[in-house]
Amino acid sequence: MTTITTTRQNGKRKGKPDLGFATKAIHAGQRPDPTTGAISLPIYQTTTYAQEAVGVNKGFTYSRTGNPTVSALEENLAVLEKGVGAACFSSGLSAITALFSLLSNGDHAIIGNVVYGGTPRLADNIFSRFGIKFSYVDTADVDAVKSEIKGNTKLILIETPANPTLKLSDIQALSEIKGEVKLVVDNTFYTPAIQIPIDLGADIVIHSTTKYIEGHNTTIGGAIVTKSKKDLEDLKYIQNAAGSIAAPFNSWLTIRGLKTLDLRMKKHSENALAIAEYLESHPKVSKVLYPGLSSFPQAALARKQHHSVHGGMLSFELKGGVKAGLKFASSLSLISLAENLGAVETMVTHPATMTHAAMSRKSRLAAGITDGLIRVSVGLEDVDDVISDLDQAIKKATT
Ligand SMILES: Cc1ncc(COP(=O)(O)O)c(C=O)c1O
């Protein structure tokens, strides 16, 4: 399939230094429309493409197989994540479905024990019915992962940071012990603006583009970027055969979101650090988890693995546990209580009753997801306004 990339725009310029991240986020895979000069890539809202003769076409035949707007998004993400190419899907979960579709009956996959709840639901309730085995391991513990690798293990899927505990896994250390097993990183929380897993030895990167990549709470989408051409070919085959390609309009909105990714991730991180520091000094707060705090248990790994900032996600617990947590969540005014994360609006979640309600209490507690834990996806508002909303809700919840 052809892409609509030019050498000038794909970030690799012959004999010249690589373009900066913000430049690539704006230009990679993009060019002015050749017919009109429109600087914003058109939404190719078409099902099919007229062919000049049998077998003669401009690289596109049917939009389940390929669409110029979707291809432009794929090219952009491939450049940002430093892969050979990308495949974009209708949701993050359809991207993970495509990933698991690389496996066959009898294969085994290792998944982090604290990942987005939809991932084990898909593995245990659907793919395990086809004879694929899954085991769940604390991927922050490299030796535990190493000892779980068996002859039939084909992939290791990790999230770093984990949701909502923010626990980090060392991508480089895992890449050194994985042998032939593919290391897959779900990079939804940090995006390539903060960490580039392929640079650290990962084979495949997954995104729910629904979150920071699109960034504005307006689309559901997913993507996979690969280091190897063979994995890309296999995933493109699955994208077409399973019919799970992203839609052109959603891809266009996602391309628009990507143009400000670098700025947004810096501001999300700046706001999150200020809020984490405010919460840490609050007498009614018993615990704050944010990788940018020097009190964070893996602060050294955070500094090694991240590009100088540590993202917009943090978790905290109020003195008063679950009762105070629930009262806090319903006392907010500017901030929304919502399932999603990674957008311009600040949102909070109570994982025990919302995003992680499907887990048993025992496994939740074992994974560090305590009953009173509150997750905050810090947005791009003026941080003082967010802090004053948090402040009034904490007061209401703890007095
Ligand atoms: C880390 C992570 N991966 C994947 C998904 C699934 O993505 P989607 O909701 O776009 O299907 C989510 C959703 O919350 C997520 O948080």
Side-chain angles (χ1 to χ4, degrees), residues 91-93 96 116 159 163 186 188-189 208 210-211 220-221 341:
S91 68
L93 270 177
I96 298 170
Y116 169 62
E159 281 180 28
N163 170 20
D186 183 328
T188 297
F189 270 42
S208 166
T210 312
K211 313 293 181 321
I220 300 283
L341 62 98

Side-chain angles (χ1 to χ4, degrees), residues 30 259 325 373:
Q30 319 296 311
K259 290 184 190 294
L373 200 71

Side-chain angles (χ1 to χ4, degrees), residues 182-197:
K182 288 184 203 307
L183 177 61
V184 184
V185 178
D186 183 328
N187 203 20
T188 297
F189 270 42
Y190 276 166
T191 84
I194 295 186
Q195 71 189 3
I196 299 184

Side-chain angles (χ1 to χ4, degrees), residues 352-375:
T353 58
M354 295 170 72
T355 47
H356 293 69
M359 279 172 96
S360 71
R361 184 162 185 272
K362 195 170 161 226
S363 33
R364 258 196 293 111
L365 293 179
I369 309 169
T370 46
D371 289 339
L373 200 71
I374 309 272
R375 185 190 78 187

Side-chain angles (χ1 to χ4, degrees), residues 184-369:
V184 184
V185 178
D186 183 328
N187 203 20
T188 297
F189 270 42
Y190 276 166
T191 84
I194 295 186
Q195 71 189 3
I196 299 184
I198 288 178
D199 266 351
L200 299 167
D203 301 288
I204 294 178
V205 179
I206 297 256
H207 278 284
S208 166
T209 60
T210 312
K211 313 293 181 321
Y212 290 102
I213 293 284
E214 189 271 321
H216 295 75
N217 263 334
T218 52
T219 61
I220 300 283
I224 305 189
V225 181
T226 69
K227 184 158 78 181
S228 92
K229 282 201 169 120
K230 169 80 173 72
D231 285 340
L232 182 66
E233 268 168 37
D234 290 348
L235 288 159
K236 284 279 190 190
Y237 181 85
I238 292 165
Q239 182 193 44
N240 179 47
S244 50
I245 194 169
F249 183 44
N250 281 3
S251 299
W252 184 85
L253 285 169
T254 308
I255 288 168
R256 191 169 68 159
L258 274 164
K259 290 184 190 294
T260 55
L261 180 69
D262 190 58
L263 264 181
R264 285 189 287 109
M265 293 313 287
K266 284 177 180 145
K267 180 69 174 159
H268 280 297
S269 304
E270 186 188 306
N271 281 1
L273 180 60
I275 291 169
E277 284 169 348
Y278 152 78
L279 289 169
E280 197 168 45
S281 66
H282 198 295
K284 301 283 184 186
V285 172
S286 54
K287 174 166 78 178
V288 184
L289 298 169
Y290 182 65
L293 287 176
S294 50
S295 61
F296 188 70
Q298 296 165 295
L301 176 58
R303 279 194 300 275
K304 180 184 105 170
Q305 191 154 273
H306 308 157
H307 303 162
S308 75
V309 292
H310 307 282
M313 302 302 301
L314 63 89
S315 294
F316 72 99
E317 187 145 358
L318 288 174
K319 289 181 182 160
V322 68
K323 192 163 166 262
L326 292 176
K327 179 86 176 56
F328 163 84
S330 57
S331 303
L332 292 161
S333 113
L334 178 75
I335 301 170
S336 297
L337 179 64
E339 296 266 349
N340 198 26
L341 62 98
V344 293
E345 295 90 359
T346 298
M347 295 170 281
V348 306
T349 301
H350 179 237
T353 58
M354 295 170 72
T355 47
H356 293 69
M359 279 172 96
S360 71
R361 184 162 185 272
K362 195 170 161 226
S363 33
R364 258 196 293 111
L365 293 179
I369 309 169

